[in-house]
């Protein structure tokens, strides 16, 4: 099974993966890097995961970082140590030898590009072209690392950290290639220092580094359950998202096969996670964005501040045009609606069921972020609910208006609701067959 976000990230993937992990033998990340932030609350204790799959919180499960993930080894070591010091058993962690390494110069390049883009957006030369904008990245080096992976020769893979000759050659090459471009950033491009730090990190991670492609295919062929954990969100997918306001990886279910080496035919059902409203972090269009007290209230009740950067998340009404498109691209066979409890107390809930774009009505999601920036949402208004639903454990116990809201999501997308989350806690979850 794969769990993917159907919006712009932070849909509650971590919570749902944690809830499902019990039924699987391995939980596998296949994309993204430390740009992700997955919060899981167990017994009132909150864990923030960035690179490590949420399965690490379920004792006895394998937690695999697949080849499609880009890894900052320093951030990974800090995450491992942080979990271990909170009493989490991290012995199930396995890291693909094929995963790419985010080097300090990738982070410098990410920051420098963002700064240059910001300045360019203010530059008269570009007029008021909306094509020139910073992306609002997490500055974790994600885009430059994936770019280097595609450029190949100078890219460092996790396995290279354990081979000093290869590591030295690649880092020296990378420094030579980047010296001119990064002069402005002040980033140190001293190959010897970079190699020393990277190989020390490699030695620390060495016991966990494996050929995860064989490991995972062996699990699948012996009938074990493997749960694939998406990072970021479908609308941040580098191909299918609101380009160029996207991340550097394939966040949809289509990313599972290249990001793990498990063939698409073995992935199983796709569960799409939909937050009951929309959020977005960073730049780029959010057609249903709220700039009022309703939006502020949702942000406060939903604790909508980034797990990774702490940035306040932009908030808007649920956008079913976007969600239906994401269902299609992912092949979602079920939907988990999360954070439904956050909508309690809003008298009228607005749901976007169409767009007006350049004078025409459409229910299709535009091909790029610039077109999406021009749409005007068409809303259906729904009655809200007042009750606190955090204690509800069945669909029947939800207020009628909440059930009607869920029915609209299922009817519009054509995908059944298989789970509903009414709070951050592991137990605050309704599965449709328990309703
Ligand atoms: P992810 O990146 O998709 O894993 O999502 P994040 O963890 O970044 O953001 C989701 C936030 O919502 C986290 O703080 C979760 O603890 C919280 N959360 C998840 N599900 C629910 C829910 O049903 N209700 C409430 N109130 N919070 C939830
Ligand atoms: P999770 O897994 C929300 C956003 C960034 C920025 C854009 C590109 O927690 O859902 P990047 O650093 O990836 O190059 O930034 O993508 N972004 C996310 N937004 N949740 C995430 O992950 C995100 N990962 C990237 O804010 O707009
Ligand atoms: Mg998140």
């Amino acid at each position: 099974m794969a769990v993917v976000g159907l919006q712009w990230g932070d849909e509650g993937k971590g919570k749902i993966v944690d809830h499902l992990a019990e039924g699987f033998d391995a939980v596998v990340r296949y994309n993204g890097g430390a740009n992700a932030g997955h919060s899981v609350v167990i017994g009132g204790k909150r864990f923030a995961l960035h690179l490590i799959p949420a399965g690490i919180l379920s004792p006895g499960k394998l937690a695999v970082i697949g080849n499609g993930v880009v890894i900052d080894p320093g951030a990974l070591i800090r995450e491992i140590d942080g979990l271990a010091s909170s009493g989490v058993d991290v012995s199930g962690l396995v890291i693909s030898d094929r995963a790419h390494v985010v080097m300090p110069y990738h982070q410098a390049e990410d920051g420098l590009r963002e700064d240059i883009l910001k300045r360019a957006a203010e530059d008269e030369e570009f007029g008021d072209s909306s094509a020139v904008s910073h992306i609002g990245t997490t500055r974790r080096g994600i885009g430059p690392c994936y770019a280097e992976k595609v450029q190949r020769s100078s890219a460092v893979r996790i396995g290279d950290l354990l081979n000093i000759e290869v590591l030295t050659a690649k880092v020296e090459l990378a420094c030579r290639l980047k010296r001119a471009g990064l002069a402005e950033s002040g980033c140190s491009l001293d190959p010897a220092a970079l190699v020393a730090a990277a190989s020390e990190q490699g030695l620390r991670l060495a016991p966990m580094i494996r050929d995860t492609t064989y490991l995972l295919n062996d699990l699948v062929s012996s009938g074990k359950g493997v749960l694939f954990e998406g990072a970021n969100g479908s609308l941040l997918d580098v191909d299918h998202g609101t380009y160029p306001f996207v991340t550097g990886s394939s966040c949809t279910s289509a990313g599972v096969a290249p990001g793990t080496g498990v063939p698409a035919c073995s992935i199983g059902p796709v569960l799409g996670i939909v937050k009951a409203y929309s959020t977005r972090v960073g730049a780029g269009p959010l057609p249903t964005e709220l700039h009022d007290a309703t939006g502020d209230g949702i942000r406060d009740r939903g604790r909508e501040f980034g797990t990774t950067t702490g940035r306040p998340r932009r908030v808007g009404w649920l956008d079913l045009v976007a969600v239906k498109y994401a269902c299609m691209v992912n092949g979602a066979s079920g939907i988990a609606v999360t954070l439904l409890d956050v909508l309690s107390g809003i008298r009228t809930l607005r749901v976007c069921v169409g767009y007006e774009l350049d004078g025409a009505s459409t229910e299709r999601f535009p091909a790029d972020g610039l077109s999406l920036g021009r749409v005007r949402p068409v809303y259906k208004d729904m009655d809200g609910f007042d009750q606190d639903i955090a204690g509800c454990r069945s669909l029947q116990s939800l207020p009628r208006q909440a059930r009607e809201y869920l029915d609209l999501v299922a009817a519009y997308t054509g995908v059944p609701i298989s789970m509903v989350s009414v709070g951050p806690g592991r137990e605050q979850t309704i599965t449709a067959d328990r309703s």
Side-chain angles (χ1 to χ4, degrees), residues 9-13 35-39 307-308 313:
D10 304 323
E11 298 90 348
K13 299 176 289 292
N35 53 351
H38 300 174
S39 284
T307 311
T308 297
R313 295 172 182 155

Side-chain angles (χ1 to χ4, degrees), residues 217-232:
N217 279 284
D218 288 347
L219 285 175
V220 169
S221 54
S222 61
K224 301 280 190 201
V226 180
L227 180 60
F228 299 96
E229 173 181 336
N232 327 129

Side-chain angles (χ1 to χ4, degrees), residues 13-24:
K13 299 176 289 292
K15 156 164 178 171
I16 298 296
V17 168
D18 171 64
H19 180 82
L20 293 171
E22 195 47 43
F24 292 84

Side-chain angles (χ1 to χ4, degrees), residues 1-14:
M1 174 187 266
V3 169
V4 294
L6 296 184
Q7 292 151 305
W8 285 274
D10 304 323
E11 298 90 348
K13 299 176 289 292

